[in-house]
Amino acid sequence: MAISAQGLDHKSSPVSTRLDIRHLRRAFKQFGVLQIDAVNAVARSHLLVLRSRLGGSHNALLELLDDATYKRRELIEYWCHEASFIPERDRALFKWRMRRAENGELWKGIRRFVSENPNFVQQIEDYVRANGPVSAGELQKNRRRDPWWGWSDSKIALEWLFWIGRVSVSHRHNFTRYYDLSERVISSEILNESLDEVEAQAELIKRAAGHLGVGAAEDLVDYFRLPKREGKQRIQELVENNELLEMEVEGWDRPGYVQRGTKSAAVNSKSVLLSPFDPLIWFRPRVERLFQFKYRLEIYVPAKKRVHGYYVLPFLHNNELRARVDVRADTKSGVLHVPAVHSEPSKVEDGVVESLALELQSLAFWRNLERVKVGQRGNLASQLRRVMAA
């Protein structure tokens, strides 16, 4: 159910090799929200998520996503599950978050800065109004760094205006965000639409259940990062209204919830490497419940203390997470480096290594790299090298 809901089964593959906006729309129906991450060890996380569903090429997916977001305006950026892409029509579902942010319910550092510098924040908004799309770097005239995360004053002001919905991301250049007034980015119909807070939270919980297939209460609450207490209250209300169904899930020590009308059918997953921020696995407690897979991204772990590697992608094969693959794309030399590859205990079955070899070749081709180079680390490394050589 979880794999099918996320579009990671074989039946969900695009019927056409030429991707267009229809494929992207279908992907967003499956996962609803696409987390943005700046790490570019292989490719941006959001592009890896799209690749696992749609295939295509790296540049084609980037162009498709940019076109949908910054030209067609079918997608927008906002804080949903971290910084994310969402369909523009869903903006009203997050207006309660904008109102709460304006009332001070957001990161302490931003809240403190805004309360202490209201005139400066207003000057930033006035500048955007007068000059159009602008980045934080262009606004930063005073180079003194704020001790909070080292952000410039102008970036903090822009982030607050973004949180409360006054400005939106107009476009990106080399991944840098450019902000403009929301009324110049988002259609007036969408901009003026609003929902009651309880109604919006209930709708987000229902959608989370649909995107997850089946989820525990904390899974549903985390999907759109709802307040925990209110989120669990919405779940109980939806169960009472028979819009969510509570069920037992084998191996879980807590109930699961599904949308009313959800159908279960046997599927087989794609054999694909997943982004660390793929919606199927971004909530680590659920990953462990679903796949008995303890997953920790070790980017911020000192190199000598890393167990599996710097940027490790889980390998989904035959409905299980079978391996952990440390991957790095070297676009200058045209090599996809695989410094380490580890199998999961008791999860190496016939065909896993061969399927992983094909997937790595596919990933290299997707990234326009000429070859794959497998390193020495990990209990699958030597076997993978032999298969790749053959």
Side-chain angles (χ1 to χ4, degrees):
M1 292 172 71
I3 288 167
S4 179
Q6 280 288 319
L8 286 167
D9 58 296
H10 282 293
K11 294 180 180 179
S12 297
S13 299
V15 296
S16 171
T17 56
R18 187 177 182 84
L19 298 177
D20 58 37
I21 189 66
R22 294 170 297 175
H23 297 103
L24 190 62
R25 290 168 185 159
R26 188 175 71 178
F28 268 87
K29 284 183 180 180
Q30 292 164 336
F31 50 63
V33 55
L34 183 58
Q35 182 176 335
I36 304 168
D37 191 77
V39 178
N40 198 16
V42 182
R44 306 290 185 193
S45 171
H46 41 281
L47 297 178
L48 288 171
V49 173
L50 291 176
R51 172 191 175 266
S52 65
R53 276 82 172 167
L54 302 180
S57 71
H58 174 274
N59 291 345
L61 284 176
L62 177 59
E63 184 179 343
L64 183 62
L65 185 61
D66 283 355
D67 179 73
T69 309
Y70 310 120
K71 295 179 181 178
R72 290 175 177 266
R73 303 295 189 191
E74 289 194 24
L75 303 175
I76 60 171
E77 295 188 33
Y78 190 62
W79 285 96
C80 306
H81 182 103
E82 303 296 332
S84 306
F85 297 105
I86 57 168
E88 185 196 48
R89 63 180 181 275
D90 291 346
R91 185 178 186 271
L93 293 169
F94 298 94
K95 273 200 168 180
W96 61 273
R97 181 167 287 163
M98 298 175 191
R99 291 191 291 266
R100 287 193 177 195
E102 195 160 11
N103 291 330
E105 291 188 35
L106 76 169
W107 296 334
K108 183 179 179 181
I110 295 181
R111 183 175 70 242
R112 183 181 68 246
F113 178 86
V114 170
S115 65
E116 294 174 355
N117 301 277
N119 292 334
F120 176 79
V121 174
Q122 186 60 55
Q123 289 173 3
I124 294 295
E125 185 176 359
D126 291 343
Y127 183 93
V128 175
R129 185 181 303 278
N131 295 278
V134 65
S135 70
E138 291 174 345
L139 279 172
Q140 185 186 351
K141 295 180 179 178
N142 180 0
R143 293 295 176 179
R144 177 184 61 83
R145 290 287 181 176
D146 189 276
W148 185 74
W149 278 17
W151 280 8
S152 67
D153 293 348
S154 55
K155 182 169 179 61
I156 297 173
L158 279 173
E159 277 299 315
W160 187 74
L161 292 168
F162 180 62
W163 266 94
I164 67 174
R166 298 266 187 86
V167 302
S168 296
V169 178
S170 167
H171 64 281
R172 285 179 181 259
H173 179 67
N174 293 332
F175 207 64
T176 298
R177 291 194 292 191
Y178 284 75
Y179 300 87
D180 201 352
L181 296 180
S182 291
E183 59 257 36
R184 296 202 288 244
V185 175
I186 296 169
S187 68
S188 58
E189 179 183 358
I190 297 295
L191 201 64
N192 295 325
E193 186 179 357
S194 187
L195 288 174
D196 171 79
E197 182 169 307
V198 171
E199 181 184 0
Q201 290 178 352
E203 178 62 22
L204 289 171
I205 289 290
K206 284 193 294 184
R207 292 192 183 193
H211 297 315
L212 291 172
V214 58
E218 56 265 46
D219 306 339
L220 304 186
V221 171
D222 174 79
Y223 202 84
F224 292 105
R225 295 289 167 86
L226 301 184
K228 292 181 180 179
R229 183 178 62 80
E230 289 106 315
K232 291 182 178 180
Q233 186 175 344
R234 300 292 89 79
I235 291 171
Q236 292 307 310
E237 292 164 357
L238 290 166
V239 170
E240 292 169 4
N241 293 334
N242 202 33
E243 295 180 75
L244 283 185
L245 304 180
E246 184 175 311
M247 59 165 47
E248 287 188 21
V249 181
E250 184 178 353
W252 288 16
D253 61 356
R254 64 205 71 193
Y257 299 90
V258 300
Q259 277 189 348
R260 184 180 62 188
T262 297
K263 296 180 180 179
S264 176
V267 300
N268 193 38
S269 71
K270 300 177 180 180
S271 296
V272 67
L273 290 162
L274 300 177
S275 160
F277 308 109
D278 191 290
L280 179 69
I281 61 171
W282 61 22
F283 189 50
R284 308 309 192 212
R286 183 170 186 262
V287 179
E288 190 167 350
R289 265 183 278 115
L290 277 177
F291 300 107
Q292 296 75 55
F293 188 91
K294 292 185 178 181
Y295 184 36
R296 180 191 185 193
L297 190 60
E298 298 179 285
I299 289 176
Y300 302 110
V301 175
K304 292 183 179 179
K305 294 184 178 181
R306 290 178 191 140
V307 177
H308 297 108
Y310 174 76
Y311 197 70
V312 173
L313 308 184
F315 180 53
L316 179 66
H317 173 77
N318 197 17
N319 297 339
E320 293 280 358
L321 297 178
R322 305 282 179 176
R324 305 165 191 259
V325 188
D326 188 16
V327 186
R328 178 174 59 85
D330 186 343
T331 55
K332 290 184 178 179
S333 64
V335 176
L336 182 69
H337 290 279
V338 184
V341 54
H342 295 82
S343 69
E344 285 298 283
S346 73
K347 287 190 178 181
V348 179
E349 60 179 28
D350 290 345
V352 169
V353 178
E354 290 77 9
S355 295
L356 177 56
L358 289 172
E359 167 63 353
L360 286 167
Q361 289 174 330
S362 174
L363 180 62
F365 182 78
W366 177 80
R367 200 64 182 87
N368 199 28
L369 304 174
E370 296 175 0
R371 61 191 180 97
V372 179
K373 184 177 181 180
V374 181
Q376 302 291 325
R377 294 183 57 240
N379 59 0
L380 275 187
S382 60
Q383 188 178 353
L384 181 61
R385 284 198 305 274
R386 288 195 300 269
V387 172
M388 296 290 289

